[in-house]
C-alpha cells in the first residue's frame, strides 16, 4: 500500500479522499491555486503544493505541475478525483512515464471511452444493448422507414449534421412517417445545408440509471448495484438515489452483468460507472461509461457499506477486490442532494459570495455531509458552485425521503443564494414521492416545484405574518432585559393599549404578489393571541384567530384551532417556511419612508456575476430585437448569454472578448425603442 498520495483536485472530493487516506494511515498532499490558498482541503492535508493562479487552466489542469508536485513530495500515487484531469488520457500516460501510480483506469480504457461513437462501436461488439437505430449511408425514404418499422414507434428522426433541435422530428406512428421525414429533411437542408438523416428509437419516459462497477488487476470484476440519476437540470444531476426504485432483482442482475461486460471489453481497472437509459418497458440501452469515481458515489457507499475510495486505493496498489459479487448486498435506501450556490428561480444561475453563516444538519448514521467549505469561505467564480452533498440513509425509500426533507430544513446557509428551497420543493412533490420520475421530471412538474401555480397560502401567509410579529415581540423583550428598567411600561410586549387596538400593518410578497396583512394583538391572561386579516380577494377578508410561539427555528401555531408547525429560516427581509408540501418564500416589504435611490442606472445591462467575456455579438450602434443574443459571459464553468430585454439600439459597449467582468457592472448602454 502507498505511504503517501497526492490528490489532484479541490473542494469536497479532495476532502473526501483525505478522510479515507487518513483512516488507512496514508499521508496526503494537496494542491491549490490562489483562490484555494486557505481552503479546507489544503488545511486537512499533511502537505500542500501551490500550482498557480485561480483559473483552473492555469493551475489544476496543468498536468506537468501536478506531476512535479508529486515528485517533490515523494507521493507514490495520484488520485484525480472527478473533473479536471480525472479522464485525461495524456495525464494518465504522463503518470505512467514518471513511474507514479494513477489511481484510476489504464490509458487505453480512458481513450476507448473518450469518444462516444467509438465507445458505442466497442459496446456493440461486446453485445451491450444500444439504442436501436439506423445510421447508414442509404438515405432513401424506404430504407429509413423500414428501419423505423422494424424498431417500432415512436422514433426520432435526426439530421446527422444537426444541433439545437433543428432537423429533428418525433414520429409516433407509421402513418406519420412520410410527412415527418420530408419536414425534417427540409429543415436540415435549410439549417445546415445537409439533409442526411438518421433514425433512432424514441424513448418517451426514459430513466437515467447507472451501474457502479469495480475491476482489479487480477481479472476480477463486480457491480455494486445501481443509482437512479433521472432528476436533472441542464443535463446535470440534482438528486440521486440508490437503489433505483421499481427495480426487479432480474433486471438489476441483467444491467449489472452488461455493465461488467462493458468494463471488461476495454480492459478496465478501478472504479467506473456505466450509464444506461432505462425505458418504461424494462429495456435498457448503453449511453456512456465514466472512467472515474462519480459525484454521487456516496449513495452506493451507504447502501453497500463499502468505502469506494478505499477500494480505489487498494486496487491501484495491486490488491484484489475486497469483496466478491456474492458477498455484496443492498441494505436500505439512500438519497444524495447536491447543495449548490445558485438561483433556481433564475434558470439556475450560479451565485458567488461569502458563506457568512453555514450550519449543516447534524451528522449521524442516517445523515452524512460531504463538503469542502467552512463558514467564512468564499464561493468564487473560478470553480463549480457546489457547496456540499447531503446524503441520507434509512431502511426504505419512504423513510429515507423523510430524512432528506428534514435534513434540508436543517441546512442553514446565508451569504449566497442556494438551491436548498428548490431541492426541498422537489423532494416533497407528489410525483417524486410516488416515483413518477423520468429525465424530464423538472420540466414536467415545474409549477409544483417552483410554486408558480396559484397558491392558496391559507395557512402559510398568516404563519409568516405571525412569525414577524412574534419576532418583533421577542426582540423587544431582549431589548427590555438589557435596559436599566426592564419593567418600564415602554418595554412591555403584552399588547396593553389605552382605548386603542394594538395593530400591526404588514406587507408580505410571495411570487411577486403583494399581500397586505393586519395583525391585531389581544391580551389573554398573561399572554396574547392574534387576529389576522389578509386584505386580498383570495382570502375574502376572513379574520383568523391565531396563537403561536417560536422555539429555535420552529414556529408552532394554532390557526382557528388547527395546530401545526413549520421550520423557519430568515435572511434579512426574506422569510422561508418549510412545510410538508414545500417551501414558501415571503419577502417582508418594509414601510416606504420616502427614501429613494436617485442614482439608479437606467438603460444599461449588467453582468449577473463575475466572469470572463467570451464573445461580443453586436457592435455599438446596432439595432437589435427582443431576446437577441448580445454577449456571452463565461463563469463557473458555464456560458451565460446576455440578451436584449426589448427592441432597441446598442449605444455603447464597455467590454470586449477576453475582458474580466465584475458581477453587477454595466456591460453596455442600451436605448429601448419607443
Amino acid at each position: 500500500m502507498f505511504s503517501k498520495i497526492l490528490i489532484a483536485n479541490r473542494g469536497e472530493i479532495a476532502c473526501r479522499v483525505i478522510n479515507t487516506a487518513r483512516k488507512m494511515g496514508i499521508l496526503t498532499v494537496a494542491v491549490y491555486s490562489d483562490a484555494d490558498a486557505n481552503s479546507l482541503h489544503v488545511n486537512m492535508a499533511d502537505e500542500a503544493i501551490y500550482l498557480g493562479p485561480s483559473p483552473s487552466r492555469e493551475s489544476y489542469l496543468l498536468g506537468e505541475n501536478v506531476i512535479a508536485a508529486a515528485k517533490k513530495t515523494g507521493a507514490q500515487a495520484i488520485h484525480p478525483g472527478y473533473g479536471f484531469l480525472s479522464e485525461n488520457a495524456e495525464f494518465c500516460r504522463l503518470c505512467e512515464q514518471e513511474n507514479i501510480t494513477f489511481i484510476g483506469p489504464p490509458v487505453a480504457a480512458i481513450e476507448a471511452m473518450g469518444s462516444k461513437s467509438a465507445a458505442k462501436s466497442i459496446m456493440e461488439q461486446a453485445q451491450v444493448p444500444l439504442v436501436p437505430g439506423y445510421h447508414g449511408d442509404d438515405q432513401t425514404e424506404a430504407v429509413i422507414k423500414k428501419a423505423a418499422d422494424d424498431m417500432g414507434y415512436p422514433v426520432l428522426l435526426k439530421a446527422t449534421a444537426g444541433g439545437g433541435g433543428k432537423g429533428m422530428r418525433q414520429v409516433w406512428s407509421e402513418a406519420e412517417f412520410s410527412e415527418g421525414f420530408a419536414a425534417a429533411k427540409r429543415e436540415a437542408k435549410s439549417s445546415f445545408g445537409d439533409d442526411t438523416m438518421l433514425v433512432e428509437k424514441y424513448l418517451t419516459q426514459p430513466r437515467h440509471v447507472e451501474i457502479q462497477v469495480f475491476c482489479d488487476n487480477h481479472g476480477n470484476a463486480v457491480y455494486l448495484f445501481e443509482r437512479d440519476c433521472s432528476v436533472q437540470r441542464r443535463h446535470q444531476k440534482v438528486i440521486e438515489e440508490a437503489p433505483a426504485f421499481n427495480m426487479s432483482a432480474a433486471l438489476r442482475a441483467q444491467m449489472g452483468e452488461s455493465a461488467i461486460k462493458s468494463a471488461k471489453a476495454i480492459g478496465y481497472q478501478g472504479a467506473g460507472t456505466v450509464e444506461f437509459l432505462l425505458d418504461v418497458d424494462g429495456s435498457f440501452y448503453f449511453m456512456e461509461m465514466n472512467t472515474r469515481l462519480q459525484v454521487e458515489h456516496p449513495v452506493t457507499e451507504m447502501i453497500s457499506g463499502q468505502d469506494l475510495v478505499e477500494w480505489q486505493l487498494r486496487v491501484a496498489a495491486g490488491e484484489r477486490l475486497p469483496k466478491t459479487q456474492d458477498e455484496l448486498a443492498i441494505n436500505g435506501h439512500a438519497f444524495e442532494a447536491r447543495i449548490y450556490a445558485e438561483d433556481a428561480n433564475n434558470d439556475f444561475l450560479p451565485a458567488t459570495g461569502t458563506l457568512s453563516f453555514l450550519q449543516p444538519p447534524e451528522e449521524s448514521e442516517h445523515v452524512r455531509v460531504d463538503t469542502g467549505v467552512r463558514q467564512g469561505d468564499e464561493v468564487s467564480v473560478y470553480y463549480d458552485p457546489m457547496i456540499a452533498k447531503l446524503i441520507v440513509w434509512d431502511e426504505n425509500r419512504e423513510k429515507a425521503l423523510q430524512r432528506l426533507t428534514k435534513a434540508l430544513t436543517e441546512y442553514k446557509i446565508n451569504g449566497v443564494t442556494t438551491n436548498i428551497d428548490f431541492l426541498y420543493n422537489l423532494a416533497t412533490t407528489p410525483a417524486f414521492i410516488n416515483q413518477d420520475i423520468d429525465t424530464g421530471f423538472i420540466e414536467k412538474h415545474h409549477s409544483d416545484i417552483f410554486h408558480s401555480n396559484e397558491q392558496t397560502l391559507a395557512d402559510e401567509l398568516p404563519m409568516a405574518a405571525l412569525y414577524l410579529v412574534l419576532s418583533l415581540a421577542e426582540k423587544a423583550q431582549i431589548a427590555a432585559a438589557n435596559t436599566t428598567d426592564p419593567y418600564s411600561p415602554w418595554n412591555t410586549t403584552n399588547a396593553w393599549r389605552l382605548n386603542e387596538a394594538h395593530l400591526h400593518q404588514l406587507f408580505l410578497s410571495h411570487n411577486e404578489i403583494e399581500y397586505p396583512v393586519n395583525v391585531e394583538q389581544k391580551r389573554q391572561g398573561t399572554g396574547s393571541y392574534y387576529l389576522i386579516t389578509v386584505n386580498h380577494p383570495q382570502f375574502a377578508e376572513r379574520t383568523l384567530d391565531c396563537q403561536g410561539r417560536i422555539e429555535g427555528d420552529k414556529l408552532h401555531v394554532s390557526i382557528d384551532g388547527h395546530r401545526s408547525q413549520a421550520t423557519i429560516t430568515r435572511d434579512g427581509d426574506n422569510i422561508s417556511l418549510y412545510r410538508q408540501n414545500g417551501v414558501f418564500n415571503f419577502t417582508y416589504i418594509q414601510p416606504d419612508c420616502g427614501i429613494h435611490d436617485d442614482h439608479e442606472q437606467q438603460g444599461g445591462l449588467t453582468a449577473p456575476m463575475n466572469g470572463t467575456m467570451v464573445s461580443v455579438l453586436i457592435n455599438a450602434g446596432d439595432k437589435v430585437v427582443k431576446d437577441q443574443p448580445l454577449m456571452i459571459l463565461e463563469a463557473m464553468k458555464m456560458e451565460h448569454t446576455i440578451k436584449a430585454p426589448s427592441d432597441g439600439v446598442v449605444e455603447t459597449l464597455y467590454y470586449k472578448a477576453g475582458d474580466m467582468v465584475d458581477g453587477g457592472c454595466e456591460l453596455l448602454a442600451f436605448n429601448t425603442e419607443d
Side-chain angles (χ1 to χ4, degrees), residues 120 131-135 139 144 155-171 177 180-181 184-185 187-188 192 194-202:
K120 289 190 176 183
V131 177
Y134 173 78
H135 308 75
Q139 287 289 297
I144 297 177
V155 298
L156 188 65
L157 289 164
K158 296 165 66 175
T160 59
K166 299 291 186 181
M168 186 180 296
R169 288 291 186 280
Q170 296 167 11
V171 179
F177 185 88
F181 183 74
K185 285 179 75 69
E187 189 172 80
F192 314 112
D194 183 349
D195 63 357
T196 306
M197 304 299 296
L198 61 84
V199 63
E200 291 181 341
K201 177 70 176 173
Y202 180 65

Side-chain angles (χ1 to χ4, degrees), residues 339-340 355-359 387 411-416 418 420 571:
I339 310 295
Y340 278 101
L355 298 167
S356 58
F357 182 74
L358 178 61
Q359 180 181 299
I387 295 172
Y411 218 127
K412 307 297 193 309
I413 301 174
N414 287 340
V416 297
T418 75
I420 292 176
D571 185 7

Side-chain angles (χ1 to χ4, degrees), residues 475-486 491:
K475 186 177 180 180
Q477 288 173 348
I478 293 171
N482 292 326
T483 65
T484 56
D485 185 9
N491 292 325

Side-chain angles (χ1 to χ4, degrees), residues 462-488:
M463 289 174 78
L466 182 60
Y467 171 78
L468 273 173
V469 172
L470 292 174
S471 297
L472 291 171
E474 191 176 72
K475 186 177 180 180
Q477 288 173 348
I478 293 171
N482 292 326
T483 65
T484 56
D485 185 9
Y487 302 105
S488 165

Side-chain angles (χ1 to χ4, degrees), residues 209-401:
V209 176
E210 58 189 32
I211 307 292
Q212 177 70 62
V213 295
F214 242 102
C215 306
D216 63 21
N217 306 332
H218 306 280
N220 303 306
V222 298
Y223 62 91
L224 288 93
F225 317 112
E226 78 285 346
R227 300 182 286 257
D228 193 300
C229 307
S230 300
V231 180
Q232 304 177 7
R233 56 101 172 94
R234 281 205 234 94
H235 304 292
Q236 293 179 321
K237 300 159 188 174
V238 175
I239 294 181
E240 303 96 350
E241 60 182 293
F245 53 87
N246 297 333
M247 177 71 71
S248 68
L251 180 56
R252 174 175 292 119
Q254 191 179 357
M255 293 184 73
E257 288 162 7
S258 290
I260 287 178
K261 195 182 295 183
S262 303
K264 287 187 172 180
I266 58 172
Y268 201 77
Q269 295 168 13
T273 300
V274 184
E275 303 195 353
F276 294 100
L277 285 175
L278 176 62
D279 207 357
V280 288
D281 62 1
S283 56
F284 60 92
Y285 309 100
F286 173 86
M287 281 199 299
E288 62 181 342
M289 183 175 185
N290 290 302
T291 54
R292 53 172 168 77
L293 198 66
Q294 291 280 87
V295 177
E296 58 273 18
H297 76 273
V299 290
T300 296
E301 294 184 323
M302 298 293 268
I303 67 164
S304 66
Q306 306 302 311
D307 183 331
L308 299 190
V309 173
E310 180 177 344
W311 278 45
Q312 283 188 296
L313 294 171
R314 294 196 179 283
V315 167
E319 296 183 17
R320 294 180 180 275
L321 291 177
K323 298 273 187 181
T324 64
Q325 193 68 60
D326 292 340
E327 293 173 319
L328 294 167
I330 294 174
N331 177 30
H333 201 97
F335 286 95
E336 175 181 294
R338 303 187 186 191
I339 310 295
Y340 278 101
E342 66 181 15
D343 186 356
N345 294 306
N346 188 15
D347 196 27
F348 301 98
L349 185 73
T352 58
T354 300
L355 298 167
S356 58
F357 182 74
L358 178 61
Q359 180 181 299
E362 186 176 348
E363 294 193 64
S364 66
E365 63 175 325
H366 294 284
V367 178
R368 165 178 164 182
V369 178
D370 283 13
T371 187
V373 296
R374 300 152 299 184
Q375 184 169 301
D377 284 354
E378 182 184 1
V379 180
S380 79
V381 69
Y382 298 106
Y383 312 115
D384 185 275
M386 183 189 289
I387 295 172
K389 301 183 307 194
L390 173 62
I391 307 106
V392 298
W393 174 91
D394 213 312
E395 61 185 25
N396 58 44
R397 188 179 191 271
E398 181 182 5
K399 291 183 178 180
L401 190 51

